[in-house]
């Protein structure tokens, strides 16, 4: 076991250590004045069942941070194991919504059809958290379908392998 202090000298080691925790892969979508926006995110978690709250964490280094951190409504799409192509579309420099058929929620938020699960949310609160913001959303609606999630760990894409 290697032990270190997570400071600027050990930034890569800290990031690698965080990568040992497998996470699901999501796309967060919002409506904006310039059209639909989306971003691939793995910093997503449940917060509360009553009331139904979730959290995701956009990086302040993103040129679109202010759009996502202040969006009054947003949708979190949990990707299925065969949807890495969607994750790639919504990374920096990806095609985003170009040529991608999508629906709109009653609140006007773009919805990507065919994802494993979708949480339609209203912004509850935003907290400062170092180089990220913690965006907490109140879940208004959930749409889900059976299947396996796309996961990422240690920089590798994968899927669950049930026992």
């Amino acid at each position: 076991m290697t032990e270190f202090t997570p400071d600027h000298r050990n930034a890569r080691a800290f990031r690698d250590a965080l990568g040992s925790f497998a996470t699901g892969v999501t796309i967060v979508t919002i409506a904006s004045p310039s059209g639909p926006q989306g971003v691939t995110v793995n910093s997503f978690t449940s917060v509360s069942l009553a009331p139904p709250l979730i959290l995701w964490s956009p990086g302040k280094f993103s040129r679109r941070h202010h759009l996502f951190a202040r969006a009054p409504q947003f949708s979190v799409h949990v990707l299925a194991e065969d949807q890495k192509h969607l994750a790639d579309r919504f990374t920096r420099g990806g095609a985003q919504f170009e040529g991608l058929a999508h629906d709109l929620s009653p609140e006007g938020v773009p919805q990507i059809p065919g994802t494993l699960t979708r949480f339609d949310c209203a912004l509850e609160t935003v907290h400062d958290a170092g180089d990220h913001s913690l965006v907490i959303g109140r879940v208004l609606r959930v749409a889900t379908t059976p299947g396996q999630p796309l996961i990422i760990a240690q920089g590798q894409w994968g899927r669950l392998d049930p026992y």
Side-chain angles (χ1 to χ4, degrees):
M1 174 145 308
T2 301
E3 190 172 314
F4 61 90
T5 301
D7 55 21
H8 69 280
R9 292 181 315 249
N10 295 308
R12 180 76 248 175
F14 184 53
R15 187 177 177 120
D16 291 346
L18 292 170
S20 68
F21 184 71
T23 64
V25 182
T26 68
I27 296 170
V28 176
T29 59
I30 61 168
S32 80
S34 60
Q37 302 281 321
V39 63
T40 300
V41 172
N42 74 331
S43 59
F44 165 75
T45 191
S46 62
V47 174
S48 171
L49 297 177
L53 301 175
I54 57 89
L55 175 148
W56 75 284
S57 183
K60 292 178 183 174
F61 52 84
S62 168
R63 60 180 168 74
R64 299 181 301 159
H65 173 268
H66 66 287
L67 293 174
F68 283 96
R70 294 184 183 138
Q73 292 91 22
F74 59 92
S75 291
V76 179
H77 303 77
V78 178
L79 299 184
E81 64 184 340
D82 62 348
Q83 293 181 319
K84 183 180 179 302
H85 65 283
L86 287 175
D88 293 341
R89 281 186 80 95
F90 289 91
T91 58
R92 186 177 309 166
Q96 300 277 315
F97 283 97
E98 184 181 318
L100 181 66
H102 62 281
D103 302 315
L104 295 178
S105 73
E107 297 77 25
V109 176
Q111 298 176 326
I112 303 167
T115 59
L116 189 61
T117 301
R118 188 188 70 246
F119 299 92
D120 296 331
C121 302
L123 181 64
E124 184 81 5
T125 189
V126 179
H127 297 280
D128 182 61
D131 60 4
H132 283 66
S133 294
L134 302 179
V135 176
I136 298 176
R138 181 178 294 261
V139 179
L140 305 173
R141 258 176 321 282
V142 178
T144 190
T145 187
Q148 294 292 319
L150 178 63
I151 61 172
I152 190 166
Q154 297 178 333
Q156 300 294 311
W157 299 87
R159 62 185 200 93
L160 290 175
D161 187 14
Y163 286 109

